[in-house]
Amino acid sequence: MYVQDKAWNTWSCSITVSNIDKTVPVCTWWTPSAAYVRSGTAWTVVLTCTDGVWISTNALSASDITLSNAYVILSNASVGWSATSRTFTFTYTWKAWSNGTVTFTLPANKVYDTANNAAATKTSSAVTVDTTAPTITITQANASDWKTSKTVSASANEWTLTMSEWTSTTCDSSRTFTTYASKTYSSESDNGKYICYRAVDAAWNTTYKLSAKVEKIDTTKPSCTWWSPSPTYVKAWATWSITITCVDNWAWVSTTSLGTWDFTLSVANLKINSVTAWG
């Protein structure tokens, strides 16, 4: 640029134009890392907007964000600014009250920089809201049956199943849980035990379920003793009685009658005429 008078004297100068900004702010969403969230629980979602110069300090409100699920409640944002990265973060608290998916959308022309460049529309990835707790199925032998061993197993319809074994009927978060495994009990000392199962799904919905009591495990064999006539001698061809008594500490001794063929005799011409059993 120059200026010239009538005498042709010339004066020149230059003008530098700066701070021209045509770059719009770039916004991204952060949603919970899990693909599922639990209904009724408070979660956070973060909108981050970055610009090479400056972003307007007008804070977004919850009403500025478009939600895809009518059962989601979004609270006002807290705002953070990083001068180093020229970044604003808007952190929202939200709750959902129904199954389904939800996305968060920043409409266009809601975030702008000092040159009035407006950020484009930005929609978050979808998050699934899960209100349904897992189901636990327990498979266990009939408690009323006497057995030498009993197996207790369980399954869950989704995600993670763990277990806690003890003699208490308490089955809640106060227990200490370990990795699930099918459990076979084969000792009489196992009688009286329970297993508390816990299933947790991807949204942290949790179910607890208690097994029936482990009982009537019997590994002790019946103890049998003989009773024979008190004289050590008996008369030939006479009829005498001899008794075998079998006792069990836990279960009933089988009432199946013994037969004459079940006994071994040490004298060939000795005969057992009949056997009578009672209990």
Side-chain angles (χ1 to χ4, degrees), residues 36 130-136 155-162 198-207:
Y36 296 84
D130 181 7
T131 64
T132 306
T135 300
I136 299 173
S155 61
N157 65 331
E158 57 179 329
W159 216 246
T160 304
L161 181 66
T162 53
R198 179 184 65 183
V200 182
D201 67 13
W204 296 97
N205 295 301
T206 304
T207 298

Side-chain angles (χ1 to χ4, degrees), residues 244 253-263 274-279:
I244 183 170
V253 177
S254 173
T255 57
T256 301
S257 297
L258 291 169
T260 58
W261 56 86
D262 291 312
F263 296 92
S274 63
V275 174
T276 301
W278 69 91

Side-chain angles (χ1 to χ4, degrees), residues 147-164:
K147 299 289 184 181
T148 56
S149 66
K150 291 188 174 183
T151 298
V152 185
S153 61
S155 61
N157 65 331
E158 57 179 329
W159 216 246
T160 304
L161 181 66
T162 53
M163 58 189 287
S164 178

Side-chain angles (χ1 to χ4, degrees), residues 90-233:
F90 303 86
T91 302
Y92 298 88
T93 300
W94 63 284
K95 289 184 180 182
W97 301 100
S98 176
N99 278 348
T101 59
V102 58
T103 58
F104 305 87
T105 299
L106 169 70
N109 303 318
K110 289 294 184 179
V111 173
Y112 51 91
D113 61 17
T114 52
N116 286 322
N117 297 302
T121 297
K122 186 67 177 180
T123 299
S124 72
S125 58
V127 179
T128 299
V129 181
D130 181 7
T131 64
T132 306
T135 300
I136 299 173
T137 302
I138 299 175
T139 303
Q140 188 170 359
N142 192 328
S144 63
D145 294 339
W146 287 98
K147 299 289 184 181
T148 56
S149 66
K150 291 188 174 183
T151 298
V152 185
S153 61
S155 61
N157 65 331
E158 57 179 329
W159 216 246
T160 304
L161 181 66
T162 53
M163 58 189 287
S164 178
E165 177 189 22
W166 195 238
T167 55
S168 168
T169 58
T170 301
C171 189
D172 55 28
S173 60
S174 66
R175 303 288 292 267
T176 300
F177 291 87
T178 59
T179 303
Y180 165 77
S182 178
K183 183 74 175 183
T184 298
Y185 296 98
S186 56
S187 172
E188 292 176 4
S189 62
D190 293 324
N191 288 311
K193 291 182 179 179
Y194 297 85
I195 299 179
C196 174
Y197 293 100
R198 179 184 65 183
V200 182
D201 67 13
W204 296 97
N205 295 301
T206 304
T207 298
Y208 298 91
K209 190 170 184 179
L210 186 69
S211 72
K213 182 168 65 174
V214 176
E215 56 185 341
K216 293 192 174 181
I217 295 177
D218 177 16
T219 58
T220 303
K221 297 179 180 179
S223 176
C224 297
T225 56
W226 282 101
W227 175 90
S228 54
S230 56
T232 54
Y233 296 92

